[in-house]
Amino acid sequence: MAKQNQTLGEFIIENQEEFKYSSGELSRLINSIRLAAKVVNHEVNKAGLVDILGAAGETNVQGEDQQKLDVYANEIFIKTLTNREIVCGIASEEEDDYITITGRNKKNDNKYIVLMDPLDGSSNIDVNVSVGTIFSIYRRVTPPGTPVTLDDFLQPGKNQVAAGYIVYGTSTMIVYSTGHGVNGFTLNPAIGTYYLSHPNMQYPEDGNIYSVNEGNYVHFPQGVKDYIKYCQKEEGNRPYSARYIGSLVSDFHRNMIKGGIYIYPNTSKDPDGKLRLLYECNPMAYLAEQANGSASNGFERILDIQPTKLHQRVPFFCGSKNMVAKAEEFMQNSTS
Ligand code: P6P
């Protein structure tokens, strides 16, 4: 049971027995993410002061310019998870392929794998807009002690054992779930401790915020165009407010607190959408459902989708249950 102002460390210990099969490994894994987040937060918060801005001169598998902080965050999370020998495999938006982790005994005795977007929204770094880290945790499906395979990573989102994000915003927060609701912890930078600030986070079933990049309107499927017009119509509690930060973690976080829907649909330019299933949509969908919200691709529950590729993209509708249902109605009633 969450207690106001409890530290993250106390919360993890107190709730460990809630997690079946728990041998403390998952707690140690969440703790290592907590540590890596503090290190990344320190760099993100001083990004404007040191030469860590701007592209690192590389592009990632997505063909996107890698910002130096992207590269830095990726390295910090991988190094922390590897050094603590807690996981047997890692996949990252910044890595073309998954990484096999072998312990000092050159075996893979650990049972968890982590998939992550180490710094989502990184194009906002140079303009001082919030960015975030997204993580997703599964139990491996291949035999313990053997190197992980792609099958360990291509699991449907409903198999996740935990997921969460860190938002580096006006304050730094860790928001995560191990399947018993969603709790948010705010970092006190003066002492480097996270405190429970948002116990049992819940999406309001209805909201009046819609988050979508309307600059792509002409490329949207008709169902999304129809839903946007519905949001803008003078009727009942509409028109809704349009709020789009361009940083998934920030838009998701605001909508979970205030109520709202985030949409990144497929377009004529990106027929599968832009967001990646494994380390953006699945973890956010897991959190949304744990917080009484929902997430779909417009037709199917995100967490039911069977992945086929490590970096595959899917259309993403996520937020207040009734708003997602209405958007799905427009998608399913539209012929194009
Ligand atoms: P656009 C950031 O690159 C991201 O993956 C999400 O964080 C964000 O919501 C979206 O893409 C922004 O994409 O095409 O609207 O700039």
Side-chain angles (χ1 to χ4, degrees):
M1 185 59 197
K3 297 190 191 80
Q4 195 71 18
N5 290 335
Q6 195 172 28
T7 67
L8 176 54
E10 291 162 346
F11 180 86
I12 290 172
I13 291 166
E14 190 166 288
N15 293 278
Q16 179 166 305
E17 64 277 0
E18 263 190 2
F19 187 69
K20 58 183 187 298
Y21 322 116
S22 169
S23 56
E25 271 180 274
L26 184 65
S27 300
R28 283 172 47 226
L29 177 42
I30 301 288
N31 268 316
S32 61
I33 289 171
R34 167 176 70 156
L35 171 64
K38 269 193 231 177
V39 176
V40 170
N41 174 64
H42 180 67
E43 292 305 317
V44 167
N45 281 348
K46 66 179 188 182
L49 301 174
V50 296
D51 177 30
I52 200 161
L53 296 177
E58 309 285 330
T59 59
N60 63 19
V61 66
Q62 324 295 339
E64 295 164 347
D65 287 345
Q66 278 189 305
Q67 301 287 334
K68 285 182 180 174
L69 269 177
D70 266 353
V71 176
Y72 176 79
N74 188 50
E75 286 166 5
I76 290 296
F77 277 96
I78 290 174
K79 201 181 297 178
T80 306
L81 290 169
T82 303
N83 292 347
R84 292 189 156 197
E85 295 190 14
I86 301 168
V87 297
C88 52
I90 300 173
S92 167
E93 180 194 48
E94 304 302 336
E95 300 289 333
D96 296 357
D97 203 352
Y98 62 84
I99 300 167
T100 297
I101 310 289
T102 52
R104 291 185 186 85
N105 63 2
K106 296 288 175 255
K107 289 183 70 178
N108 304 76
D109 295 333
N110 298 310
K111 60 185 173 203
Y112 294 115
I113 62 164
V114 174
L115 299 97
M116 65 179 177
D117 183 354
L119 208 62
D120 178 72
S122 54
S123 56
N124 291 311
I125 292 168
D126 288 358
V127 293
N128 205 13
V129 168
S130 301
V131 293
T133 297
I134 307 172
F135 61 91
S136 168
I137 302 172
Y138 292 83
R139 200 171 290 106
R140 70 179 300 174
V141 293
T142 52
T146 63
V148 289
T149 72
L150 190 55
D151 290 345
D152 290 306
F153 297 92
L154 297 185
Q155 299 184 52
K158 60 192 169 192
N159 290 5
Q160 291 173 98
V161 294
Y165 58 82
I166 297 99
V167 52
Y168 310 98
T170 47
S171 62
T172 294
M173 283 189 69
I174 290 189
V175 177
Y176 80 97
S177 173
T178 57
H180 301 279
V182 178
N183 291 286
F185 299 81
T186 300
L187 177 67
N188 177 341
I191 56 175
T193 301
Y194 291 93
Y195 287 91
L196 179 64
S197 52
H198 296 67
N200 190 28
M201 298 181 83
Q202 293 275 298
Y203 260 105
E205 294 213 342
D206 281 302
N208 59 13
I209 293 172
Y210 70 103
S211 308
V212 63
N213 182 346
E214 293 191 54
N216 294 324
Y217 183 87
V218 294
H219 303 295
F220 285 160
Q222 191 56 45
V224 172
K225 290 179 178 174
D226 295 342
Y227 180 66
I228 289 173
K229 290 306 167 208
Y230 168 84
C231 293
Q232 295 170 341
K233 191 171 178 191
E234 190 94 42
E235 192 175 69
N237 66 337
R238 288 172 283 128
Y240 295 152
S241 295
R243 292 286 184 276
Y244 189 71
I245 299 172
S247 176
L248 168 61
V249 169
S250 302
D251 282 315
F252 179 98
H253 188 75
R254 181 208 50 245
N255 289 350
M256 181 160 61
I257 293 171
K258 295 190 172 215
I261 184 171
Y262 171 96
I263 300 175
Y264 208 105
N266 54 306
T267 66
S268 44
K269 291 185 299 181
D270 299 306
D272 294 324
K274 173 183 182 183
L275 301 189
R276 277 68 65 165
L277 173 60
L278 292 188
Y279 40 78
E280 289 179 323
C281 300
N282 271 338
M284 300 313 262
Y286 179 85
L287 290 172
E289 292 197 2
Q290 284 290 319
N292 190 40
S294 62
S296 84
N297 62 4
F299 301 93
E300 179 187 5
R301 182 180 176 235
I302 288 288
L303 297 184
D304 286 338
I305 296 174
Q306 174 55 52
T308 52
K309 288 183 293 185
L310 204 53
H311 298 290
Q312 82 182 69
R313 301 171 191 267
V314 289
F316 193 53
F317 297 68
C318 180
S320 295
K321 197 173 284 190
N322 296 344
M323 297 181 82
V324 172
K326 177 58 80 175
E328 287 172 335
E329 197 181 300
F330 280 99
M331 291 300 288
Q332 289 150 22
N333 293 340
S334 158
T335 51
S336 67

